[in-house]
Amino acid sequence: MKIKHWQLFKDSLIHPKKLAAYRLLPIGKVIQYVLLLVTFVTIISFIQFLTGVGLETSQIEGLKEFINDIKWLIYPFAFILLFLINSFSLFVQISIYAFVGIGTLKLLKKRGEYRHLWRTTAIAITLSTIFTTLLVFFPFNARLCTTVGIIITAVYLTIACTKYPNQPQK
């Protein structure tokens, strides 16, 4: 199946029923897609780091003075560290959602393996990841944003699970 990342992105946002078909994608393609998503999250996190959004005013002044002194040194390391933390976080989230998705498949009496659910979840998590990442620039409760992100991913994953093949009749 030859598919572009842009098509995966578009389908992850507006066609949750198609996500089940992506369970057959090569794992390399899915990991590339996840790393592109991590890059987006890292860029937004880095912008937040540079602008100080979400920090107290007294913290910002001290941080700005310190960063101005060593910014040529800290910026590359900060970006790399953010990328690594965001990668770890997103891969763990995908793994947990995929594990929960196995239970959803069993409830729906559908056939699938963890590796299939992991691939589907990697695409299904896109909207909630973008949503929760961009909300750092607005004054919303972090727990509420996280809860909404979990609900969005769960709904997309459940819709995708309904399109998995049925279990064979015994």
Side-chain angles (χ1 to χ4, degrees):
M1 185 183 314
K2 184 113 170 134
I3 191 159
K4 297 189 184 310
H5 293 109
W6 176 250
Q7 185 65 41
L8 287 173
F9 178 73
K10 189 173 79 172
D11 289 345
S12 72
L13 298 179
I14 56 178
H15 298 294
K17 291 180 180 180
K18 287 186 176 182
L19 301 183
Y22 295 141
R23 72 185 184 278
L24 303 174
L25 282 175
I27 191 67
K29 185 69 147 183
V30 175
I31 289 177
Q32 283 177 356
Y33 180 79
V34 172
L35 290 176
L36 285 171
L37 192 58
V38 167
T39 302
F40 168 77
V41 171
T42 302
I43 289 169
I44 298 299
S45 299
F46 193 67
I47 291 169
Q48 181 187 12
F49 171 74
L50 292 176
T51 60
V53 173
L55 296 175
E56 305 257 340
T57 309
S58 61
Q59 292 173 323
I60 292 175
E61 293 306 317
L63 184 62
K64 281 184 180 176
E65 284 180 34
F66 179 71
I67 289 176
N68 281 336
D69 292 340
I70 59 166
K71 65 182 168 188
W72 62 272
L73 180 64
I74 200 166
Y75 287 168
F77 288 116
F79 189 83
I80 292 168
L81 184 61
L82 283 170
F83 186 84
L84 291 173
I85 291 169
N86 289 331
S87 296
F88 178 76
S89 173
L90 198 59
F91 277 92
V92 167
Q93 287 178 40
I94 291 168
S95 299
I96 291 169
Y97 283 124
F99 182 73
V100 172
I102 291 292
T104 305
L105 281 180
K106 289 184 191 286
L107 284 173
L108 296 172
K109 296 183 172 131
K110 299 289 184 173
R111 195 173 34 145
E113 298 175 17
Y114 179 79
R115 63 190 174 119
H116 296 140
L117 253 308
W118 198 95
R119 290 174 177 138
T120 301
T121 305
I123 310 299
I125 203 169
T126 302
L127 181 61
S128 68
T129 301
I130 291 171
F131 175 74
T132 55
T133 302
L134 292 178
L135 283 180
V136 298
F137 294 107
F138 301 100
F140 289 109
N141 182 319
R143 286 189 183 121
L144 176 65
C145 295
T146 301
T147 304
V148 170
I150 289 169
I151 291 169
I152 290 170
T153 302
V155 167
Y156 270 54
L157 192 56
T158 302
I159 291 170
C161 284
T162 63
K163 300 303 176 188
Y164 271 62
N166 291 326
Q167 287 181 347
Q169 302 267 335
K170 292 181 184 180

